[in-house]
């Protein structure tokens, strides 16, 4: 092909060709250019910085270039970069914590090794999350043993909730979760979020390692609390005792915590030794993040992604309600290949609104039945979708999930999506009680004694508000259960005062419910 005439082009090409050939050929005896020497002045009292290793001097060819003969080529060893065969191998390569060798470790090894079904269930659950955790640990230059910690905390169950109210696969307590910016509201609990809880857990572990300078102590603090570990260390220092993990006086749960992790580490490091089969977990991402720009039902999101609802919830376990609010959760996780399916189906979707639920804030305290009537729902359905237990009333300002009308086009706002709460109070259960009137008793005097309105007492007894009772006359009252019980107890022991004898039957009259005025209950600490 003939090149067009461009001034200077041939000269430039010739020079470029010479540079390329320079890397492929040398001329014996060619002079090697030396870099010019440099003198560096150091101020008085300043410590000189160590000099970096000198870089190889560049070679500048001279003379006529010639091809390299095959016998002149010297072989050089090249280090081959081979990715880990599977995720377990990658985890093993990143082990960096000191090993703990104790009888407790042996006991935990035996416990896990004797339960192959349990290990199988745990590792099967972990395949969805392990790659992401390992990636985050390597990015932070943290030991990969920590990727095994959810085996100890929750058996890799992101829906796990402990008796102490710790939640998620990293088992965050409510207050600790709030400290690490894990939202907990009526719509979602980020302590169960795969991404958010992992970020918070690694933040916390890094913080603890920075405090104690030891991974075993950091793990003890993760389980027991940094304040507890700090006090245990201080106590040992006062006694002149050691301050390592095995030296501290701690609860049994914390005493077994690190040995459990060490046992799982040992099994992962050498499964054959423990006759354990680890399922193959490929060394590649399990899920992708997909942006959600509109509120959407959980069921619909799973359908558009062609994912089973259980699998969808396993990757997005933070949702408390059957709707995803884009303002609060702008991303969802989907299996790697299903992310593309979701995007394609979402763009083609035209079967109606994406969300059949929205949020409603209660204007006043009300019963569940009243709230259901206002939003046009069955009471049982409202209780179910909002997880409201029996015998509870809804406080003012609470946020409920309710059906979204077809003409509603606006989604739930960010403030409500991030801060909505459901506040409940025990329902007032009234007990029908009868008392005997004493001498000179009236509607007004009995109302004062039981802290009721005179009009209530009059209504319950079909008398006027200014009426008087005859001595020994039965007076009907409707009192809250606790108040009625407290009135009944002294009446049984005060036989000398028959006018205060009380008879009780359970009742929930509608008129009494809305009319009764009860004293404020005292708080118990």
């Amino acid at each position: 092909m003939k090149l067009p005439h461009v001034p200077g082009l041939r000269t430039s090409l010739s020079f470029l060709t010479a540079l390329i050939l320079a890397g492929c050929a040398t001329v014996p005896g060619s002079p090697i250019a030396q870099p010019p020497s440099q003198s560096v002045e150091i101020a008085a009292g300043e410590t000189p910085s160590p000099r970096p290793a000198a870089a190889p001097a560049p070679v500048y060819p001279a003379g006529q270039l010639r091809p390299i003969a095959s016998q002149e080529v010297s072989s050089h060893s090249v280090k081959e970069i081979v990715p880990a065969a599977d995720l377990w191998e990658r985890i093993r390569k990143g082990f960096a914590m000191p090993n703990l060798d104790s009888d407790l470790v042996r006991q935990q090894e035996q416990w896990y090794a004797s339960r192959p079904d349990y290990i199988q269930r745990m590792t099967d659950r972990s395949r969805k999350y392990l790659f992401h955790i390992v990636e985050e640990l390597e990015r932070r230059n943290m030991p990969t043993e920590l990727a095994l910690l959810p085996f100890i905390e929750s058996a890799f169950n992101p829906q796990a909730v402990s008796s102490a109210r710790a939640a998620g696969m990293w088992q965050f307590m409510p207050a600790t979760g709030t400290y690490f910016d894990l939202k907990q509201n009526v719509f979602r609990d980020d302590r169960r979020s795969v991404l958010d809880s992992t970020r918070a857990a690694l933040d916390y572990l890094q913080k603890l390692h920075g405090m104690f300078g030891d991974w075993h102590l950091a793990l003890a603090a993760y389980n027991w609390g940094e304040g507890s570990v700090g006090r245990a260390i201080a106590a040992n220092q006062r006694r002149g005792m050691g301050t390592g993990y095995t030296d501290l006086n701690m609860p049994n749960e914390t005493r077994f915590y690190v040995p459990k992790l060490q046992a799982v580490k040992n099994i992962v490091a050498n499964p054959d030794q423990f006759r354990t089969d680890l399922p193959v977990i490929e060394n590649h991402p399990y899920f992708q993040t997909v942006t959600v720009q509109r509120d959407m039902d959980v069921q619909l999101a799973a359908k558009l992604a062609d994912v089973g609802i259980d699998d969808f919830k396993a990757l997005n376990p933070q949702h408390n309600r059957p709707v995803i609010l884009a303002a609060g959760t702008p991303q969802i996780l989907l299996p790697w290949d299903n992310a593309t399916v979701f995007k394609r189906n979402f763009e083609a979707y035209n079967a109606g609104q994406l969300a059949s639920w929205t949020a409603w804030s209660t204007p006043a305290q009300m019963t569940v039945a009243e709230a259901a009537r206002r939003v046009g729902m069955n009471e049982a359905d409202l209780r179910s979708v909002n997880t409201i237990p029996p015998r509870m009333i809804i406080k003012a300002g609470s946020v409920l999930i309710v059906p979204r009308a077809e003409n509603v086009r606006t989604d739930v706002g960010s403030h409500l999506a991030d801060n909505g709460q459901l506040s409940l109070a025990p329902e007032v259960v009234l007990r029908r009680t009868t008392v005997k009137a004493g001498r000179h008793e009236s509607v007004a005097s009995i109302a004062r004694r039981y802290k009721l309105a005179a009009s209530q007492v009059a209504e319950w007894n079909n008398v006027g508000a200014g009426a008087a009772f005859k001595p020994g006359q039965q007076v009907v009252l409707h009192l809250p259960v606790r108040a009625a019980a407290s009135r009944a107890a002294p009446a049984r022991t005060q036989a000398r005062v028959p006018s205060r004898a009380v008879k009780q039957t359970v009742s929930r009259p509608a008129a009494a419910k809305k009319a009764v005025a009860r004293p404020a209950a005292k708080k118990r600490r």
Side-chain angles (χ1 to χ4, degrees), residues 164-195:
R165 297 174 59 214
M169 63 180 174
W170 294 98
Q171 288 291 281
F172 273 96
M173 294 291 288
T176 311
T178 300
Y179 181 85
F180 285 97
D181 197 28
L182 296 177
K183 297 288 186 181
Q184 301 158 61
N185 56 48
V186 69
F187 304 110
R188 73 185 196 270
D189 187 343
D190 284 343
R191 295 179 299 162
R192 300 197 301 260
S193 166
V194 175
L195 301 185

PDB file of all heavy atoms in Angstrom, residues 164-195:
ATOM      1  N   ALA A 164     -31.483 -12.371  72.095  1.00  0.00           N
ATOM      2  CA  ALA A 164     -31.107 -11.029  72.551  1.00  0.00           C
ATOM      3  C   ALA A 164     -31.409  -9.962  71.500  1.00  0.00           C
ATOM      4  O   ALA A 164     -30.972  -8.822  71.635  1.00  0.00           O
ATOM      5  CB  ALA A 164     -29.623 -10.986  72.919  1.00  0.00           C
ATOM      6  N   ARG A 165     -32.118 -10.348  70.418  1.00  0.00           N
ATOM      7  CA  ARG A 165     -32.561  -9.448  69.350  1.00  0.00           C
ATOM      8  C   ARG A 165     -31.440  -9.066  68.385  1.00  0.00           C
ATOM      9  O   ARG A 165     -31.565  -8.104  67.632  1.00  0.00           O
ATOM     10  CB  ARG A 165     -33.204  -8.178  69.913  1.00  0.00           C
ATOM     11  CG  ARG A 165     -34.488  -8.449  70.713  1.00  0.00           C
ATOM     12  CD  ARG A 165     -34.988  -7.182  71.373  1.00  0.00           C
ATOM     13  NE  ARG A 165     -35.263  -6.141  70.397  1.00  0.00           N
ATOM     14  CZ  ARG A 165     -35.078  -4.845  70.616  1.00  0.00           C
ATOM     15  NH1 ARG A 165     -34.620  -4.433  71.777  1.00  0.00           N
ATOM     16  NH2 ARG A 165     -35.374  -3.955  69.681  1.00  0.00           N
ATOM     17  N   ALA A 166     -30.327  -9.814  68.386  1.00  0.00           N
ATOM     18  CA  ALA A 166     -29.317  -9.620  67.348  1.00  0.00           C
ATOM     19  C   ALA A 166     -29.848 -10.231  66.053  1.00  0.00           C
ATOM     20  O   ALA A 166     -30.493 -11.278  66.072  1.00  0.00           O
ATOM     21  CB  ALA A 166     -28.001 -10.281  67.750  1.00  0.00           C
ATOM     22  N   ALA A 167     -29.569  -9.575  64.923  1.00  0.00           N
ATOM     23  CA  ALA A 167     -30.182 -10.008  63.664  1.00  0.00           C
ATOM     24  C   ALA A 167     -29.156 -10.025  62.545  1.00  0.00           C
ATOM     25  O   ALA A 167     -28.146  -9.321  62.572  1.00  0.00           O
ATOM     26  CB  ALA A 167     -31.340  -9.077  63.290  1.00  0.00           C
ATOM     27  N   GLY A 168     -29.449 -10.870  61.536  1.00  0.00           N
ATOM     28  CA  GLY A 168     -28.633 -10.945  60.335  1.00  0.00           C
ATOM     29  C   GLY A 168     -27.516 -11.956  60.452  1.00  0.00           C
ATOM     30  O   GLY A 168     -27.263 -12.527  61.513  1.00  0.00           O
ATOM     31  N   MET A 169     -26.830 -12.179  59.336  1.00  0.00           N
ATOM     32  CA  MET A 169     -25.773 -13.198  59.361  1.00  0.00           C
ATOM     33  C   MET A 169     -24.560 -12.737  60.169  1.00  0.00           C
ATOM     34  O   MET A 169     -23.762 -13.558  60.619  1.00  0.00           O
ATOM     35  CB  MET A 169     -25.357 -13.591  57.943  1.00  0.00           C
ATOM     36  CG  MET A 169     -24.745 -12.528  57.089  1.00  0.00           C
ATOM     37  SD  MET A 169     -24.349 -13.215  55.462  1.00  0.00           S
ATOM     38  CE  MET A 169     -23.829 -11.752  54.583  1.00  0.00           C
ATOM     39  N   TRP A 170     -24.440 -11.409  60.404  1.00  0.00           N
ATOM     40  CA  TRP A 170     -23.366 -10.905  61.257  1.00  0.00           C
ATOM     41  C   TRP A 170     -23.867 -10.606  62.666  1.00  0.00           C
ATOM     42  O   TRP A 170     -23.089 -10.155  63.510  1.00  0.00           O
ATOM     43  CB  TRP A 170     -22.758  -9.645  60.650  1.00  0.00           C
ATOM     44  CG  TRP A 170     -22.036  -9.878  59.353  1.00  0.00           C
ATOM     45  CD1 TRP A 170     -22.520  -9.670  58.093  1.00  0.00           C
ATOM     46  CD2 TRP A 170     -20.698 -10.359  59.180  1.00  0.00           C
ATOM     47  NE1 TRP A 170     -21.570  -9.980  57.153  1.00  0.00           N
ATOM     48  CE2 TRP A 170     -20.438 -10.405  57.790  1.00  0.00           C
ATOM     49  CE3 TRP A 170     -19.690 -10.744  60.063  1.00  0.00           C
ATOM     50  CZ2 TRP A 170     -19.212 -10.835  57.267  1.00  0.00           C
ATOM     51  CZ3 TRP A 170     -18.471 -11.170  59.532  1.00  0.00           C
ATOM     52  CH2 TRP A 170     -18.246 -11.209  58.161  1.00  0.00           C
ATOM     53  N   GLN A 171     -25.152 -10.811  62.939  1.00  0.00           N
ATOM     54  CA  GLN A 171     -25.747 -10.713  64.274  1.00  0.00           C
ATOM     55  C   GLN A 171     -25.468  -9.377  64.970  1.00  0.00           C
ATOM     56  O   GLN A 171     -24.819  -9.313  66.030  1.00  0.00           O
ATOM     57  CB  GLN A 171     -25.280 -11.876  65.146  1.00  0.00           C
ATOM     58  CG  GLN A 171     -25.881 -13.217  64.754  1.00  0.00           C
ATOM     59  CD  GLN A 171     -27.374 -13.301  65.040  1.00  0.00           C
ATOM     60  OE1 GLN A 171     -27.775 -13.520  66.180  1.00  0.00           O
ATOM     61  NE2 GLN A 171     -28.198 -13.127  64.020  1.00  0.00           N
ATOM     62  N   PHE A 172     -25.991  -8.312  64.391  1.00  0.00           N
ATOM     63  CA  PHE A 172     -25.881  -6.988  64.994  1.00  0.00           C
ATOM     64  C   PHE A 172     -27.018  -6.762  65.979  1.00  0.00           C
ATOM     65  O   PHE A 172     -28.178  -7.003  65.669  1.00  0.00           O
ATOM     66  CB  PHE A 172     -25.928  -5.899  63.914  1.00  0.00           C
ATOM     67  CG  PHE A 172     -24.591  -5.572  63.321  1.00  0.00           C
ATOM     68  CD1 PHE A 172     -24.180  -6.170  62.144  1.00  0.00           C
ATOM     69  CD2 PHE A 172     -23.744  -4.672  63.948  1.00  0.00           C
ATOM     70  CE1 PHE A 172     -22.945  -5.867  61.590  1.00  0.00           C
ATOM     71  CE2 PHE A 172     -22.509  -4.357  63.407  1.00  0.00           C
ATOM     72  CZ  PHE A 172     -22.102  -4.964  62.224  1.00  0.00           C
ATOM     73  N   MET A 173     -26.679  -6.242  67.162  1.00  0.00           N
ATOM     74  CA  MET A 173     -27.685  -5.776  68.097  1.00  0.00           C
ATOM     75  C   MET A 173     -28.272  -4.464  67.568  1.00  0.00           C
ATOM     76  O   MET A 173     -27.620  -3.753  66.786  1.00  0.00           O
ATOM     77  CB  MET A 173     -27.059  -5.559  69.471  1.00  0.00           C
ATOM     78  CG  MET A 173     -26.574  -6.837  70.128  1.00  0.00           C
ATOM     79  SD  MET A 173     -27.936  -7.917  70.611  1.00  0.00           S
ATOM     80  CE  MET A 173     -28.588  -6.997  72.017  1.00  0.00           C
ATOM     81  N   PRO A 174     -29.501  -4.112  67.970  1.00  0.00           N
ATOM     82  CA  PRO A 174     -30.116  -2.887  67.441  1.00  0.00           C
ATOM     83  C   PRO A 174     -29.257  -1.639  67.622  1.00  0.00           C
ATOM     84  O   PRO A 174     -29.076  -0.865  66.679  1.00  0.00           O
ATOM     85  CB  PRO A 174     -31.424  -2.801  68.230  1.00  0.00           C
ATOM     86  CG  PRO A 174     -31.765  -4.210  68.556  1.00  0.00           C
ATOM     87  CD  PRO A 174     -30.451  -4.882  68.809  1.00  0.00           C
ATOM     88  N   ALA A 175     -28.732  -1.423  68.833  1.00  0.00           N
ATOM     89  CA  ALA A 175     -27.957  -0.199  69.086  1.00  0.00           C
ATOM     90  C   ALA A 175     -26.659  -0.181  68.283  1.00  0.00           C
ATOM     91  O   ALA A 175     -26.273   0.853  67.725  1.00  0.00           O
ATOM     92  CB  ALA A 175     -27.656  -0.074  70.576  1.00  0.00           C
ATOM     93  N   THR A 176     -25.985  -1.318  68.203  1.00  0.00           N
ATOM     94  CA  THR A 176     -24.742  -1.374  67.428  1.00  0.00           C
ATOM     95  C   THR A 176     -25.021  -1.157  65.951  1.00  0.00           C
ATOM     96  O   THR A 176     -24.262  -0.484  65.246  1.00  0.00           O
ATOM     97  CB  THR A 176     -24.040  -2.723  67.640  1.00  0.00           C
ATOM     98  OG1 THR A 176     -23.963  -3.012  69.031  1.00  0.00           O
ATOM     99  CG2 THR A 176     -22.635  -2.695  67.057  1.00  0.00           C
ATOM    100  N   GLY A 177     -26.128  -1.728  65.471  1.00  0.00           N
ATOM    101  CA  GLY A 177     -26.504  -1.511  64.083  1.00  0.00           C
ATOM    102  C   GLY A 177     -26.752  -0.042  63.786  1.00  0.00           C
ATOM    103  O   GLY A 177     -26.317   0.478  62.755  1.00  0.00           O
ATOM    104  N   THR A 178     -27.433   0.645  64.694  1.00  0.00           N
ATOM    105  CA  THR A 178     -27.676   2.074  64.517  1.00  0.00           C
ATOM    106  C   THR A 178     -26.368   2.849  64.489  1.00  0.00           C
ATOM    107  O   THR A 178     -26.184   3.767  63.682  1.00  0.00           O
ATOM    108  CB  THR A 178     -28.575   2.603  65.646  1.00  0.00           C
ATOM    109  OG1 THR A 178     -29.829   1.902  65.613  1.00  0.00           O
ATOM    110  CG2 THR A 178     -28.830   4.088  65.496  1.00  0.00           C
ATOM    111  N   TYR A 179     -25.422   2.484  65.346  1.00  0.00           N
ATOM    112  CA  TYR A 179     -24.115   3.158  65.385  1.00  0.00           C
ATOM    113  C   TYR A 179     -23.392   3.050  64.057  1.00  0.00           C
ATOM    114  O   TYR A 179     -22.711   3.984  63.614  1.00  0.00           O
ATOM    115  CB  TYR A 179     -23.260   2.566  66.511  1.00  0.00           C
ATOM    116  CG  TYR A 179     -21.894   3.193  66.655  1.00  0.00           C
ATOM    117  CD1 TYR A 179     -21.716   4.351  67.413  1.00  0.00           C
ATOM    118  CD2 TYR A 179     -20.781   2.634  66.028  1.00  0.00           C
ATOM    119  CE1 TYR A 179     -20.462   4.929  67.548  1.00  0.00           C
ATOM    120  CE2 TYR A 179     -19.524   3.205  66.144  1.00  0.00           C
ATOM    121  CZ  TYR A 179     -19.370   4.355  66.906  1.00  0.00           C
ATOM    122  OH  TYR A 179     -18.133   4.935  67.015  1.00  0.00           O
ATOM    123  N   PHE A 180     -23.536   1.898  63.396  1.00  0.00           N
ATOM    124  CA  PHE A 180     -22.867   1.687  62.114  1.00  0.00           C
ATOM    125  C   PHE A 180     -23.808   1.943  60.931  1.00  0.00           C
ATOM    126  O   PHE A 180     -23.622   1.396  59.849  1.00  0.00           O
ATOM    127  CB  PHE A 180     -22.281   0.279  62.051  1.00  0.00           C
ATOM    128  CG  PHE A 180     -21.036   0.121  62.878  1.00  0.00           C
ATOM    129  CD1 PHE A 180     -21.106  -0.413  64.159  1.00  0.00           C
ATOM    130  CD2 PHE A 180     -19.814   0.537  62.401  1.00  0.00           C
ATOM    131  CE1 PHE A 180     -19.970  -0.550  64.936  1.00  0.00           C
ATOM    132  CE2 PHE A 180     -18.669   0.409  63.165  1.00  0.00           C
ATOM    133  CZ  PHE A 180     -18.742  -0.133  64.437  1.00  0.00           C
ATOM    134  N   ASP A 181     -24.808   2.780  61.160  1.00  0.00           N
ATOM    135  CA  ASP A 181     -25.678   3.296  60.103  1.00  0.00           C
ATOM    136  C   ASP A 181     -26.447   2.184  59.387  1.00  0.00           C
ATOM    137  O   ASP A 181     -26.611   2.210  58.163  1.00  0.00           O
ATOM    138  CB  ASP A 181     -24.872   4.113  59.085  1.00  0.00           C
ATOM    139  CG  ASP A 181     -25.761   4.999  58.232  1.00  0.00           C
ATOM    140  OD1 ASP A 181     -26.848   5.394  58.708  1.00  0.00           O
ATOM    141  OD2 ASP A 181     -25.396   5.296  57.074  1.00  0.00           O
ATOM    142  N   LEU A 182     -26.928   1.221  60.140  1.00  0.00           N
ATOM    143  CA  LEU A 182     -27.803   0.187  59.594  1.00  0.00           C
ATOM    144  C   LEU A 182     -29.238   0.581  59.928  1.00  0.00           C
ATOM    145  O   LEU A 182     -29.657   0.512  61.085  1.00  0.00           O
ATOM    146  CB  LEU A 182     -27.460  -1.186  60.181  1.00  0.00           C
ATOM    147  CG  LEU A 182     -26.057  -1.720  59.847  1.00  0.00           C
ATOM    148  CD1 LEU A 182     -25.809  -3.046  60.545  1.00  0.00           C
ATOM    149  CD2 LEU A 182     -25.858  -1.863  58.346  1.00  0.00           C
ATOM    150  N   LYS A 183     -29.985   1.021  58.935  1.00  0.00           N
ATOM    151  CA  LYS A 183     -31.353   1.478  59.136  1.00  0.00           C
ATOM    152  C   LYS A 183     -32.239   0.339  59.641  1.00  0.00           C
ATOM    153  O   LYS A 183     -32.168  -0.793  59.158  1.00  0.00           O
ATOM    154  CB  LYS A 183     -31.930   2.021  57.840  1.00  0.00           C
ATOM    155  CG  LYS A 183     -31.216   3.255  57.290  1.00  0.00           C
ATOM    156  CD  LYS A 183     -31.523   4.488  58.129  1.00  0.00           C
ATOM    157  CE  LYS A 183     -30.930   5.737  57.497  1.00  0.00           C
ATOM    158  NZ  LYS A 183     -31.197   6.943  58.307  1.00  0.00           N
ATOM    159  N   GLN A 184     -33.090   0.674  60.612  1.00  0.00           N
ATOM    160  CA  GLN A 184     -34.050  -0.296  61.155  1.00  0.00           C
ATOM    161  C   GLN A 184     -35.383   0.430  61.275  1.00  0.00           C
ATOM    162  O   GLN A 184     -35.584   1.218  62.196  1.00  0.00           O
ATOM    163  CB  GLN A 184     -33.579  -0.803  62.519  1.00  0.00           C
ATOM    164  CG  GLN A 184     -32.207  -1.474  62.493  1.00  0.00           C
ATOM    165  CD  GLN A 184     -31.540  -1.495  63.844  1.00  0.00           C
ATOM    166  OE1 GLN A 184     -32.066  -2.075  64.799  1.00  0.00           O
ATOM    167  NE2 GLN A 184     -30.368  -0.870  63.948  1.00  0.00           N
ATOM    168  N   ASN A 185     -36.258   0.181  60.319  1.00  0.00           N
ATOM    169  CA  ASN A 185     -37.553   0.843  60.340  1.00  0.00           C
ATOM    170  C   ASN A 185     -38.637  -0.127  59.902  1.00  0.00           C
ATOM    171  O   ASN A 185     -38.401  -1.327  59.763  1.00  0.00           O
ATOM    172  CB  ASN A 185     -37.536   2.110  59.477  1.00  0.00           C
ATOM    173  CG  ASN A 185     -37.116   1.834  58.047  1.00  0.00           C
ATOM    174  OD1 ASN A 185     -37.608   0.913  57.407  1.00  0.00           O
ATOM    175  ND2 ASN A 185     -36.199   2.628  57.533  1.00  0.00           N
ATOM    176  N   VAL A 186     -39.826   0.402  59.684  1.00  0.00           N
ATOM    177  CA  VAL A 186     -40.961  -0.457  59.383  1.00  0.00           C
ATOM    178  C   VAL A 186     -40.792  -1.167  58.045  1.00  0.00           C
ATOM    179  O   VAL A 186     -41.338  -2.245  57.831  1.00  0.00           O
ATOM    180  CB  VAL A 186     -42.265   0.369  59.412  1.00  0.00           C
ATOM    181  CG1 VAL A 186     -42.327   1.342  58.253  1.00  0.00           C
ATOM    182  CG2 VAL A 186     -43.487  -0.533  59.406  1.00  0.00           C
ATOM    183  N   PHE A 187     -39.998  -0.582  57.130  1.00  0.00           N
ATOM    184  CA  PHE A 187     -39.861  -1.143  55.789  1.00  0.00           C
ATOM    185  C   PHE A 187     -38.687  -2.102  55.652  1.00  0.00           C
ATOM    186  O   PHE A 187     -38.747  -3.046  54.864  1.00  0.00           O
ATOM    187  CB  PHE A 187     -39.703  -0.015  54.765  1.00  0.00           C
ATOM    188  CG  PHE A 187     -40.825   0.976  54.798  1.00  0.00           C
ATOM    189  CD1 PHE A 187     -40.627   2.260  55.274  1.00  0.00           C
ATOM    190  CD2 PHE A 187     -42.091   0.626  54.369  1.00  0.00           C
ATOM    191  CE1 PHE A 187     -41.657   3.177  55.315  1.00  0.00           C
ATOM    192  CE2 PHE A 187     -43.131   1.528  54.413  1.00  0.00           C
ATOM    193  CZ  PHE A 187     -42.916   2.806  54.885  1.00  0.00           C
ATOM    194  N   ARG A 188     -37.612  -1.837  56.372  1.00  0.00           N
ATOM    195  CA  ARG A 188     -36.425  -2.678  56.191  1.00  0.00           C
ATOM    196  C   ARG A 188     -35.577  -2.698  57.457  1.00  0.00           C
ATOM    197  O   ARG A 188     -35.670  -1.797  58.297  1.00  0.00           O
ATOM    198  CB  ARG A 188     -35.587  -2.184  55.014  1.00  0.00           C
ATOM    199  CG  ARG A 188     -34.814  -0.910  55.247  1.00  0.00           C
ATOM    200  CD  ARG A 188     -34.117  -0.468  53.967  1.00  0.00           C
ATOM    201  NE  ARG A 188     -33.077   0.506  54.186  1.00  0.00           N
ATOM    202  CZ  ARG A 188     -33.264   1.814  54.181  1.00  0.00           C
ATOM    203  NH1 ARG A 188     -34.488   2.299  53.981  1.00  0.00           N
ATOM    204  NH2 ARG A 188     -32.254   2.637  54.373  1.00  0.00           N
ATOM    205  N   ASP A 189     -34.752  -3.726  57.551  1.00  0.00           N
ATOM    206  CA  ASP A 189     -33.785  -3.853  58.638  1.00  0.00           C
ATOM    207  C   ASP A 189     -32.445  -4.168  57.987  1.00  0.00           C
ATOM    208  O   ASP A 189     -32.188  -5.302  57.575  1.00  0.00           O
ATOM    209  CB  ASP A 189     -34.198  -4.967  59.605  1.00  0.00           C
ATOM    210  CG  ASP A 189     -33.318  -5.014  60.845  1.00  0.00           C
ATOM    211  OD1 ASP A 189     -32.217  -4.430  60.818  1.00  0.00           O
ATOM    212  OD2 ASP A 189     -33.726  -5.654  61.835  1.00  0.00           O
ATOM    213  N   ASP A 190     -31.598  -3.155  57.869  1.00  0.00           N
ATOM    214  CA  ASP A 190     -30.328  -3.321  57.172  1.00  0.00           C
ATOM    215  C   ASP A 190     -29.353  -4.214  57.923  1.00  0.00           C
ATOM    216  O   ASP A 190     -28.293  -4.553  57.373  1.00  0.00           O
ATOM    217  CB  ASP A 190     -29.682  -1.962  56.907  1.00  0.00           C
ATOM    218  CG  ASP A 190     -30.358  -1.218  55.767  1.00  0.00           C
ATOM    219  OD1 ASP A 190     -31.087  -1.879  54.991  1.00  0.00           O
ATOM    220  OD2 ASP A 190     -30.182   0.016  55.653  1.00  0.00           O
ATOM    221  N   ARG A 191     -29.671  -4.607  59.140  1.00  0.00           N
ATOM    222  CA  ARG A 191     -28.832  -5.604  59.814  1.00  0.00           C
ATOM    223  C   ARG A 191     -28.885  -6.932  59.069  1.00  0.00           C
ATOM    224  O   ARG A 191     -27.993  -7.777  59.221  1.00  0.00           O
ATOM    225  CB  ARG A 191     -29.290  -5.791  61.259  1.00  0.00           C
ATOM    226  CG  ARG A 191     -29.114  -4.565  62.139  1.00  0.00           C
ATOM    227  CD  ARG A 191     -29.614  -4.831  63.542  1.00  0.00           C
ATOM    228  NE  ARG A 191     -31.031  -5.165  63.558  1.00  0.00           N
ATOM    229  CZ  ARG A 191     -31.649  -5.765  64.569  1.00  0.00           C
ATOM    230  NH1 ARG A 191     -30.958  -6.126  65.649  1.00  0.00           N
ATOM    231  NH2 ARG A 191     -32.950  -6.010  64.518  1.00  0.00           N
ATOM    232  N   ARG A 192     -29.945  -7.124  58.282  1.00  0.00           N
ATOM    233  CA  ARG A 192     -30.068  -8.346  57.487  1.00  0.00           C
ATOM    234  C   ARG A 192     -29.591  -8.157  56.047  1.00  0.00           C
ATOM    235  O   ARG A 192     -29.521  -9.133  55.299  1.00  0.00           O
ATOM    236  CB  ARG A 192     -31.525  -8.814  57.489  1.00  0.00           C
ATOM    237  CG  ARG A 192     -32.080  -9.131  58.867  1.00  0.00           C
ATOM    238  CD  ARG A 192     -33.346  -9.958  58.768  1.00  0.00           C
ATOM    239  NE  ARG A 192     -34.378  -9.288  58.004  1.00  0.00           N
ATOM    240  CZ  ARG A 192     -35.390  -8.626  58.536  1.00  0.00           C
ATOM    241  NH1 ARG A 192     -35.489  -8.528  59.858  1.00  0.00           N
ATOM    242  NH2 ARG A 192     -36.302  -8.059  57.777  1.00  0.00           N
ATOM    243  N   SER A 193     -29.279  -6.928  55.647  1.00  0.00           N
ATOM    244  CA  SER A 193     -28.831  -6.668  54.280  1.00  0.00           C
ATOM    245  C   SER A 193     -27.461  -7.301  54.039  1.00  0.00           C
ATOM    246  O   SER A 193     -26.544  -7.165  54.860  1.00  0.00           O
ATOM    247  CB  SER A 193     -28.754  -5.157  54.035  1.00  0.00           C
ATOM    248  OG  SER A 193     -28.031  -4.871  52.861  1.00  0.00           O
ATOM    249  N   VAL A 194     -27.305  -7.968  52.911  1.00  0.00           N
ATOM    250  CA  VAL A 194     -26.035  -8.625  52.592  1.00  0.00           C
ATOM    251  C   VAL A 194     -24.915  -7.587  52.475  1.00  0.00           C
ATOM    252  O   VAL A 194     -23.848  -7.739  53.091  1.00  0.00           O
ATOM    253  CB  VAL A 194     -26.163  -9.439  51.287  1.00  0.00           C
ATOM    254  CG1 VAL A 194     -24.811 -10.031  50.889  1.00  0.00           C
ATOM    255  CG2 VAL A 194     -27.210 -10.532  51.432  1.00  0.00           C
ATOM    256  N   LEU A 195     -25.144  -6.542  51.708  1.00  0.00           N
ATOM    257  CA  LEU A 195     -24.096  -5.543  51.479  1.00  0.00           C
ATOM    258  C   LEU A 195     -23.871  -4.664  52.706  1.00  0.00           C
ATOM    259  O   LEU A 195     -22.736  -4.467  53.152  1.00  0.00           O
ATOM    260  CB  LEU A 195     -24.450  -4.666  50.272  1.00  0.00           C
ATOM    261  CG  LEU A 195     -24.655  -5.372  48.931  1.00  0.00           C
ATOM    262  CD1 LEU A 195     -24.871  -4.340  47.829  1.00  0.00           C
ATOM    263  CD2 LEU A 195     -23.471  -6.260  48.589  1.00  0.00           C
TER     264      LEU A 195
END
